[in-house]
Amino acid sequence: MSEKTKIPDHLIRELEDARRRIAELEAGVTERKRAGEAVQESQARLEGMLDIADDAIISMDADQRITLFNKGAERIFGYTVEETLGQPLDILLPERFVKSHREHVQDFAALPVPSPAMSERGILFGRRKDGEEFPVEISILKLEIGGETVFTAILRDIKRAEEQLIRSEKLAAVGRMTAGVAHEILNPLNIITLGLHMMADDPDTPPEFVDQVRVLEGQAIRIAKISQGLLSFARQRPVERRRFDFNETVRRTLDLVSHELRLRAVEVELRLAEGLPPILADEDQIQQVILNLLTNAHDAMSEGGRLVLRTEAIRDDGRQLVELRVEDTGEGTDPDDLDKLFDPFFTTKGEGTGLGLSICQGIIEAHGGAIRAENLPEGGTSFIIRLGIGEE
Ligand code: ADP
């Protein structure tokens, strides 16, 4: 019988002690790691929120130097974040307000902070990079972090917010009333149009009336066009998605108008990206948008010109998108009008309804995409659509 080595009791106790301490340490490390991950996660969430906010969110230190400038602030003030970090807040204010505002912030800074923060609200003037002054609604939050005073201000561009509100109210009001009215108008109008058409063609109509009857017929057709436009504007049916080849739809839509384009001596250049991923969208609606853009480009080039259609796959913030550019060499757009092109009823055409682009915008936004217009440096206008390719 072999003699078992007896481990002394005190060694066993020490071993158990060491084991317990290691377990405690491990638990501590896991805990800290978990806490670190939670901090990272909430930071990522916060950064995401800062990015998508419409308002300007700006932080500054006790010396009133800018320490945070979100995307909303870039949009509203026209500066990039790189241009502002470390700069005094004064660059965002009209000069005549700089002194009083500095003093006001200093007074506010001197007030004791009831825990954990204090805030105030008001209206003041901001100054954009191009010098334009504009009223802003401001909420300032004062925080003491590690003994340091930090201010965070949320600024809303009042004029822009009002414009957005008016625009969406206008759209909603138009939507509500149109469907019914347009529908009621179209039936009797068809009868009138047909009657006028027959009268103009009737040999019994006195020749001196024929021209007038044709003018009336033209006007009746115009009313029908407006009513139809209103109907499709109000109808905005739900998006029915299926996967399709975007380039193919662009080509097919172009075929529908290629005859008119040729008659106008408009040269067409197709620059469709190869290997574009198929998109998950409502093909009929997207085709309607493209057709509208092509028709507008045709209308803008009354003397002929060149139409370029470009598609491209792009990545934006990790999202995979397809982009279509419809570029013409037409009359271009008054820079003041670029923002208004998408408003319902905005038209510069004698025969226009001003509804085409607002319908396009409605469709693209219902798809979660974006549409915008730019003037091209060499003349003409470019319409740019971006659409997500949809869930995988
Ligand atoms: P409509 O064609 O009935 O006027 P839209 O909403 O389609 O309605 O267009 C609104 C306005 O936008 C047009 O009247 C025109 O002033 C402008 N526009 C649209 N497309 C172009 C373009 N390619 N070039 C210049 N202006 C354009």
Side-chain angles (χ1 to χ4, degrees):
M1 205 174 163
S2 68
E3 194 185 315
K4 268 196 180 161
T5 324
K6 172 116 174 64
I7 301 173
D9 279 353
H10 74 276
L11 264 185
I12 291 181
R13 272 200 306 278
E14 269 176 34
L15 209 62
E16 275 172 358
D17 223 29
R19 228 186 252 143
R20 206 183 52 245
R21 276 206 305 273
I22 289 172
E24 274 170 14
L25 272 175
E26 273 175 359
V29 167
T30 321
E31 188 64 23
R32 267 201 296 279
K33 207 169 130 208
R34 241 186 250 134
E37 279 165 5
V39 167
Q40 265 178 9
E41 197 186 302
S42 82
Q43 186 152 353
R45 230 191 325 240
L46 205 63
E47 279 169 11
M49 270 152 56
L50 283 175
D51 276 355
I52 60 164
D54 263 345
D55 295 336
I57 303 178
I58 300 169
S59 291
M60 55 179 178
D61 58 19
D63 293 334
Q64 301 195 26
R65 289 193 182 276
I66 298 169
T67 54
L68 182 145
F69 202 75
N70 76 333
K71 287 216 165 79
E74 290 188 324
R75 266 194 308 274
I76 292 177
F77 285 95
Y79 286 103
T80 63
V81 61
E82 293 81 14
E83 286 171 320
T84 50
L85 287 189
Q87 296 294 317
L89 189 77
D90 308 357
I91 62 166
L92 307 178
L93 299 167
E95 249 161 67
R96 62 182 190 287
F97 292 129
V98 165
K99 192 164 161 274
S100 62
H101 187 261
R102 268 204 166 258
E103 285 165 4
H104 179 74
V105 174
Q106 271 155 10
D107 290 347
F108 184 52
L111 294 174
V113 183
S115 66
M118 65 187 285
S119 64
E120 67 166 25
R121 273 168 169 279
I123 291 192
L124 53 81
F125 277 87
R127 180 165 57 109
R128 295 189 227 275
K129 189 180 176 186
D130 64 11
E132 188 198 343
E133 293 181 12
F134 61 104
V136 287
E137 189 183 82
I138 178 167
S139 309
I140 302 190
L141 184 73
K142 177 181 157 191
L143 281 167
E144 295 284 343
I145 301 175
E148 297 218 4
T149 309
V150 178
F151 299 98
T152 297
I154 302 179
L155 301 104
R156 173 160 299 179
D157 184 335
I158 300 173
K159 244 165 60 189
R160 189 195 291 214
E162 264 176 9
E163 275 167 13
Q164 276 173 351
L165 190 68
I166 289 169
R167 187 166 177 277
S168 61
E169 276 179 356
K170 200 162 137 190
L171 284 176
V174 170
R176 273 197 303 276
M177 66 170 202
T178 46
V181 177
H183 194 78
E184 290 301 312
I185 285 175
L186 273 172
N187 281 334
L189 198 62
N190 282 339
I191 299 170
I192 295 173
T193 314
L194 193 68
L196 290 168
H197 188 74
M198 282 162 61
M199 257 167 90
D201 284 351
D202 189 340
D204 289 341
T205 305
E208 65 269 29
F209 286 153
V210 172
D211 281 352
Q212 278 187 37
V213 173
R214 292 231 185 270
V215 170
L216 293 180
E217 186 195 351
Q219 293 302 309
I221 289 173
R222 179 162 145 66
I223 301 175
K225 248 169 63 182
I226 296 176
S227 309
Q228 258 146 9
L230 287 172
L231 258 185
S232 41
F233 181 81
R235 228 185 254 141
Q236 300 223 339
R237 59 176 178 77
V239 175
E240 285 168 24
R241 292 176 191 263
R242 57 178 199 82
R243 212 165 272 287
F244 62 91
D245 180 340
F246 190 57
N247 281 344
E248 191 47 42
T249 306
V250 172
R251 267 193 221 101
R252 239 180 313 119
T253 317
L254 179 64
D255 284 346
L256 298 177
V257 288
S258 58
H259 181 64
E260 272 78 17
L261 292 169
R262 257 199 308 277
L263 288 181
R264 273 267 164 102
V266 173
E267 198 186 314
V268 179
E269 189 179 323
L270 272 180
R271 296 213 177 173
L272 307 183
E274 275 174 36
L276 208 62
I279 66 167
L280 189 64
D282 190 317
E283 190 176 7
D284 289 343
Q285 292 190 7
I286 298 302
Q287 180 159 23
Q288 188 186 346
V289 172
I290 300 171
L291 187 61
N292 223 301
L293 299 183
L294 297 181
T295 313
N296 278 345
H298 165 271
D299 292 349
M301 293 187 280
S302 50
E303 309 282 312
R306 187 182 175 79
L307 174 73
V308 185
L309 301 179
R310 295 174 204 273
T311 58
E312 203 184 333
I314 47 175
R315 276 203 161 269
D316 184 37
D317 257 350
R319 266 183 88 204
Q320 224 187 333
L321 309 171
V322 292
E323 184 182 85
L324 169 68
R325 286 176 183 256
V326 179
E327 301 170 356
D328 63 53
T329 54
E331 61 213 24
T333 312
D334 185 332
D336 288 342
D337 286 345
L338 272 179
D339 278 351
K340 298 186 203 136
L341 300 187
F342 298 95
D343 285 353
F345 304 116
F346 176 84
T347 181
T348 54
K349 301 175 193 169
E351 298 281 292
T353 62
L355 289 171
L357 286 177
S358 53
I359 294 173
C360 291
Q361 189 179 45
I363 291 175
I364 296 297
E365 287 180 355
H367 278 77
I371 181 167
R372 65 177 206 277
E374 282 174 11
N375 273 327
L376 293 167
E378 59 275 21
T381 313
S382 170
F383 283 84
I384 302 142
I385 303 176
R386 284 185 170 191
L387 282 169
I389 66 161
E391 299 78 27
E392 298 310 306

